[in-house]
Amino acid sequence: MWQVLQQISPYAIAFAIPLLITAIGGLYSERSGVVNIGLEGLMVIGSFAAAITISVLQPVMHSQALWLGLLAAVLAGALFSLLHAFASISLHANQVISGTAVNMIAGALTVFIARNMTGSGNIQISPFTRFDIPILSDVPLIGKLLFTNTYATTWLTLFILTVTYFVLYKTVFGLRLRACGEHPQAVDSAGINVQLIRYLAVIISGACAGLGGAIVLTTYSGEFNGTVFGLGFLALAALIFGQWKPLGILGATFFFGFASTIATSAQAIPALAHIPGLVLKTFPYIVTLIVLVLFSKTTQPPRASGEPFEQGKR
């Protein structure tokens, strides 16, 4: 069993990392009081921006183009998220409808542009290569699990998670952001611009989701085809399962990552090979539903999440 775990661990982590960074983006937005179900669309935008950038630059810059693609995805996700921010914060629109519109626009717009550029709508790139971390990969037990066949984007995402924890719980900005999601009227009465903080939170959310879409492209996908396979919605489930906390989200995304990897690689595992393929393919999503049902009574979202706020009105 330990050998099986070592074999699937690199693939499970690779699947979990885009979920993690996208859920971190959702964390910023929802902690500020803005529900962002447009994470799926923002991931698509990030994937598209990265694909275009990398396909143009990779013949000249080779592996360096991948990092510029990630940067382009961050910028594109941040800019596109302004649509959701403007609708939900400035216009006080229903945040669920606004997020749904972002998902619909992103998928249609990117496929339309890609088809006009390539004819097929698909953009292929050469992704990152895996590597072993020297010394750490030789550590007993955890070396094979965590430090072999890894991607550079894995450690970038874990660094962002660490920064997120520090920002939310150790800085003034983090305190104000969390307060905006709990009691924006109190924040406003203290002379703090609630709308500005919510705008910043949604922009950060878009940047992280865009990066998540680019990580899918530059690790295990290697091709833009107008979808990120529903990972944005799975990231929302991880956000809820993780109780809107960074470490909780880390555990939830890795749980989903291992569940999905087991489902896709079960035929190669003798103990699971006799289970019907349909059951295995639906296993991660069934587990997601069960987890959300079990934790529905104990979930504590930010009190003001989803509630429009008008500056100066208490």
Side-chain angles (χ1 to χ4, degrees), residues 5 8-21 23-24 145-147 150 153-155 157-159 161 234-235 237-239 241-242 246-262 283-284 287:
L5 188 60
I8 69 172
S9 180
Y11 304 99
I13 292 174
F15 183 85
I17 287 301
L19 282 180
L20 176 58
I21 189 61
I24 289 173
L145 286 177
L146 303 177
F147 304 113
T150 187
T153 50
T154 297
W155 305 102
T157 300
L158 293 176
F159 173 74
L161 175 69
L234 198 56
L239 177 63
F241 183 22
L247 296 182
I249 292 171
L250 175 65
T253 52
F254 273 69
F255 170 78
F256 291 143
F258 274 92
S260 298
T261 305
I262 289 173
F283 172 71
V287 170

Side-chain angles (χ1 to χ4, degrees), residues 64-145:
Q64 289 85 353
L66 294 169
W67 294 103
L68 291 177
L70 295 182
L71 178 60
V74 169
L75 295 176
L79 289 173
F80 204 78
S81 67
L82 286 172
L83 292 175
H84 179 54
F86 179 70
S88 58
I89 300 172
S90 297
L91 301 182
H92 310 298
N94 184 292
Q95 296 172 10
V96 174
I97 294 176
S98 175
T100 302
V102 167
N103 289 334
M104 296 174 67
I105 293 172
L109 180 63
T110 54
V111 170
F112 174 76
I113 297 174
R115 283 181 178 174
N116 278 274
M117 293 181 63
T118 65
S120 64
N122 294 355
I123 304 173
Q124 294 183 340
I125 58 104
S126 297
F128 282 108
T129 56
R130 295 178 180 268
F131 64 94
D132 296 346
I133 298 179
I135 302 176
L136 293 178
S137 60
D138 297 325
V139 175
L141 299 180
I142 65 170
K144 296 295 183 182
L145 286 177

Side-chain angles (χ1 to χ4, degrees), residues 216-233:
V216 172
L217 173 77
T218 56
T219 53
Y220 59 83
S221 173
E223 180 184 50
F224 171 80
N225 55 11
T227 180
V228 288
F229 318 107
L231 292 182
F233 298 110

Side-chain angles (χ1 to χ4, degrees), residues 27 31 162-175 178 242-248:
L27 174 67
R31 276 291 197 168
T162 304
V163 171
T164 295
Y165 184 89
F166 178 81
V167 168
L168 287 180
Y169 297 108
K170 303 295 181 180
T171 66
V172 174
F173 173 75
L175 176 63
R178 289 183 287 121
Q243 294 287 301
W244 293 269
K245 297 177 181 178
L247 296 182

